[in-house]
Amino acid sequence: EAGVTQSPTHLIKTRGQQATLRCSPISGHTSVYWYQQALGLGLQFLLWYDEGEERNRGNFPPRFSGRQFPNYSSELNVNALELEDSALYLCASSKWESYNEQFFGPGTRLTVL
Amino acid sequence: QQQVKQSPQSLIVQKGGISIINCAYENTAFDYFPWYQQFPGKGPALLIAIRPDVSEKKEGRFTISFNKSAKQFSLHIMDSQPGDSATYFCAASIGSGTYKYIFGTGTRLKVLA
C-alpha cells in the first residue's frame, strides 16, 4: 500500500510570492491534515479537510489556505510569503472512522528568501 | 490548556539502556495519545498510541505508561539501539469534532553504540 505522498520535496520562493504544496493521501483515506514543522517549534496543526470541506483550522492567518479535490488529494496554498513561513510542511491522512490514526507524508521543505 | 509539554528536549542513552520521554497535558478532554518517531528528512511515523482508559500499552520494546490523575504519559524504549536514534513526538487529540493533534515539542534521542 502506497503511503502519503507530497510534492514538491523542496520549494524555494521569495518573500511576497505564493507557494502551492500538494498531497496525495493513502488510498481509502478521506481526511487530509496539514501541519507546519518550523525549526524548534514542533508540529503545528494548520488545516483539516474531509470530503472536500475544510473542517478545522489552526491558529494561522488566512493567507494559509487549501482545498481538497474529489479524489481526496489536497493542496496547501500560502500567499504573500514571509520569511517565517520557512518550514517543513507535513501532510497526513486518515480514514474518517479512524481519525486518530494519522499517517504522515515525507513533507515539503519550503524556504522563503 | 491545549498544550502538551514534552521533556527532555534531548536525550543520550547507551546501547541497551532504557530511554524515557515524558509528556504532560492539561486538557482532560484529550482522548488519544500517540507517539511518533521521526528520522531526519522523513515525516513522523506512528509508533504506539494509548487511550486514557488504559494505564499501560506495550508493543515490542516500546511501552507507553499513562497516568490519568497526573495527566502525564511517557514513552519507554527498552534495550535502546542506535537505530532508535530519532526525534520523538508525543501528541494528544480530541476526537469530538476537531480531529487534530496537539504535538509536544519533540525529544531528540541519540543512542550510543
Side-chain angles (χ1 to χ4, degrees):
Chain A
E1 178 185 87
V4 177
T5 60
Q6 292 186 245
S7 63
T9 305
H10 294 91
L11 191 57
I12 299 175
K13 294 285 185 179
T14 56
R15 195 168 52 181
Q17 286 188 313
Q18 180 198 34
T20 299
L21 290 65
R22 296 180 178 82
C23 171
S24 291
I26 292 171
S27 178
H29 287 192
T30 62
S31 283
V32 170
Y33 313 80
W34 287 95
Y35 293 85
Q36 181 194 64
Q37 187 175 24
L39 201 61
L41 292 179
L43 289 88
Q44 305 290 323
F45 169 75
L46 259 168
L47 290 159
W48 167 42
Y49 290 96
D50 183 70
E51 296 289 351
E53 301 275 337
E54 181 183 303
R55 303 293 184 180
N56 201 1
R57 68 181 293 129
N59 295 326
F60 282 85
R63 57 191 187 82
F64 287 84
S65 65
R67 53 180 172 166
Q68 186 178 33
F69 299 99
N71 67 353
Y72 303 113
S73 67
S74 177
E75 237 174 43
L76 174 68
N77 294 293
V78 188
N79 294 318
L81 284 165
E82 299 179 1
L83 297 178
E84 52 265 33
D85 296 333
S86 295
L88 181 68
Y89 288 84
L90 292 159
C91 171
S93 73
S94 74
K95 293 180 181 179
W96 179 85
E97 65 271 23
S98 52
Y99 56 86
N100 275 324
E101 294 184 4
Q102 297 182 18
F103 296 86
F104 283 81
T108 292
R109 173 73 62 185
L110 173 64
T111 302
V112 183
L113 302 175
Chain B
Q1 257 216 336
Q2 289 285 328
Q3 278 190 321
V4 175
K5 295 182 180 179
Q6 184 173 346
S7 63
Q9 188 174 11
S10 61
L11 182 61
I12 299 175
V13 172
Q14 294 287 338
K15 180 182 175 181
I18 303 173
S19 303
I20 301 175
I21 304 170
N22 301 300
C23 285
Y25 64 97
E26 289 294 324
N27 191 341
T28 55
F30 288 140
D31 62 359
Y32 184 77
F33 302 89
W35 283 91
Y36 279 83
Q37 179 190 56
Q38 186 177 27
F39 293 104
K42 304 287 186 182
L46 180 62
L47 197 59
I48 187 173
I50 199 168
R51 294 192 182 276
D53 54 348
V54 176
S55 62
E56 186 176 281
K57 184 174 181 181
K58 185 176 181 179
E59 289 184 2
R61 297 184 295 109
F62 300 92
T63 300
I64 299 179
S65 297
F66 188 85
N67 186 329
K68 190 174 181 178
S69 60
K71 291 185 283 187
Q72 295 175 346
F73 58 109
S74 59
L75 175 70
H76 293 65
I77 305 174
M78 314 300 285
D79 186 28
S80 299
Q81 299 297 312
D84 297 331
S85 298
T87 300
Y88 293 81
F89 292 94
C90 63
S93 77
I94 305 171
S96 53
T98 59
Y99 303 153
K100 66 178 183 183
Y101 284 161
I102 306 296
F103 280 90
T105 49
T107 296
R108 184 170 289 183
L109 171 65
K110 183 170 186 177
V111 181
L112 302 176

